Amino acid sequence: MTDITEEEIESTFQRLTADAKRSGYNLNPDEEFTKELVESLLINGKRYGYWACPCRLADEVKEEDLDLICPCDYRDVDVEEFGACYCALYVDKEIASGEKEAKPIPDRRPEREERAQFKASSGKGVVQTELAYPVWRCRVCGYLCAREEPPGICPVCKAGKERFDRFM
Amino acid sequence: MEYEHVDGKDKGKIVLYALSTCVWCRRTKKLLGELGVAYDFVFIDQKSSEEKELYKDEIRKHNPRCSYPTLVLNDERCIVGYQDEEIREALS
Ligand code: SF4
């Protein structure tokens, strides 16, 4: 059903593993499971043009799907609370070391209407103070930086520029 | 709306709403195969935009959050997510 090659899966898997390690994240240690997810991400990359979360139904409109481009906005809280992200691609230390197994968890992504409300209100409570630079926050991992514009990609989690909000 | 049918033991009407890219959905399908039950399934992500809405309306009747996999047994019981034990218990 797909034209994704073994080599693509392998090289993406290696890259994600290295990126995760470098930034303090862990991929699911079940390599077969993880590679299936990597293949799914590559499939979504080909059919939608971005890595929509494999376990959620994409809208196919990037604007609407920004929060679920992998790594999604919900990864860190889910790893924190349940030990794994919704797809179980990213896991906590206990699961990574094999002490525990990844289990399916509930989806915390808000419904479309709630998302729209949240979007409309985000950035509103920002107190504008006299800063030399605006401060930007990555919605995926919380990385903060003070500069004229957000970075092209987040140096910690590799999320794109469009996933930053003005924080201060 | 069209569903694909998998042959097996008759355990009542079983419908699986799934995504082709979701690993938990695949596990659920595999489990149904292992249990050897007859069921219908659909990969929503492979449908057209208009069709997706129709299936989503159908899923929402059982699972308002519309998440995957959603397994509906006899139009009344709904199991959301790959719940290994619950599915085994319901279909054994
Ligand atoms: S971080 Fe996990 S849940 Fe989020 S998009 Fe990626 S695979 Fe899906």
Side-chain angles (χ1 to χ4, degrees), chain A residues 48-165:
Chain A
Y48 305 138
Y50 49 90
W51 279 16
C53 179
C55 304
R56 296 173 169 119
L57 185 63
D59 249 303
E60 302 177 40
V61 180
K62 194 172 176 189
E63 263 292 287
E64 283 298 327
D65 288 338
L66 273 186
D67 60 321
L68 50 69
I69 296 177
C70 190
C72 63
D73 290 11
Y74 317 104
R75 174 186 64 174
D76 289 14
V77 263
D78 279 336
V79 170
E80 187 68 35
E81 185 174 344
F82 299 106
C85 70
Y86 185 59
C87 298
L89 176 62
Y90 290 94
V91 299
D92 69 2
K93 273 211 187 101
E94 277 177 298
I95 296 176
S97 66
E99 278 166 59
K100 273 193 190 166
E101 221 185 305
K103 293 226 171 65
I105 63 166
D107 188 4
R108 73 167 68 231
R109 186 191 199 206
E111 299 280 5
R112 186 192 297 270
E113 297 72 37
E114 294 169 67
R115 289 203 303 275
Q117 277 171 11
F118 183 74
K119 230 190 248 166
S121 68
S122 76
K124 281 245 174 77
V126 174
V127 189
Q128 301 283 349
T129 43
E130 285 296 314
L131 293 170
Y133 295 97
V135 176
W136 303 94
R137 177 180 183 275
C138 172
R139 286 198 296 275
V140 178
C141 71
Y143 165 77
L144 295 177
C145 60
R147 49 191 278 173
E148 292 301 345
E149 288 281 320
I153 59 164
C154 173
V156 176
C157 73
K158 311 285 183 274
K161 181 178 186 169
E162 66 281 13
R163 300 177 76 184
F164 278 78
D165 285 330

Side-chain angles (χ1 to χ4, degrees), chain A residues 36 40 47 54 60 104 109, chain B residues 21 24 26 45 52 65 82:
Chain A
E36 276 188 57
S40 294
R47 61 180 178 176
E60 302 177 40
R109 186 191 199 206
Chain B
T21 48
W24 295 123
R26 287 190 208 152
D45 58 311
K52 276 183 189 145
R65 288 213 64 103
Y82 170 60

Side-chain angles (χ1 to χ4, degrees), chain B residues 13-87:
Chain B
K13 187 177 167 200
I14 304 175
V15 183
L16 174 68
Y17 297 91
L19 302 178
S20 67
T21 48
C22 168
V23 181
W24 295 123
C25 295
R26 287 190 208 152
R27 298 251 155 140
T28 307
K29 258 185 115 256
K30 211 168 136 198
L31 175 59
L32 293 177
E34 191 189 306
L35 295 171
V37 297
Y39 68 97
D40 289 322
F41 77 93
V42 57
F43 283 140
I44 314 285
D45 58 311
Q46 294 177 341
K47 299 289 172 184
S48 70
S49 308
E50 297 83 54
E51 281 177 304
K52 276 183 189 145
E53 292 309 316
L54 296 177
Y55 287 104
K56 278 192 331 206
D57 287 342
E58 207 47 46
I59 298 168
R60 263 192 211 104
K61 289 183 197 159
H62 306 281
N63 169 14
R65 288 213 64 103
C66 214
S67 55
Y68 308 90
T70 292
L71 185 66
V72 181
L73 310 177
N74 290 321
D75 287 319
E76 40 179 57
R77 182 158 177 201
C78 171
I79 302 178
V80 176
Y82 170 60
Q83 312 296 347
D84 191 283
E85 278 170 32
E86 198 180 338
I87 297 172

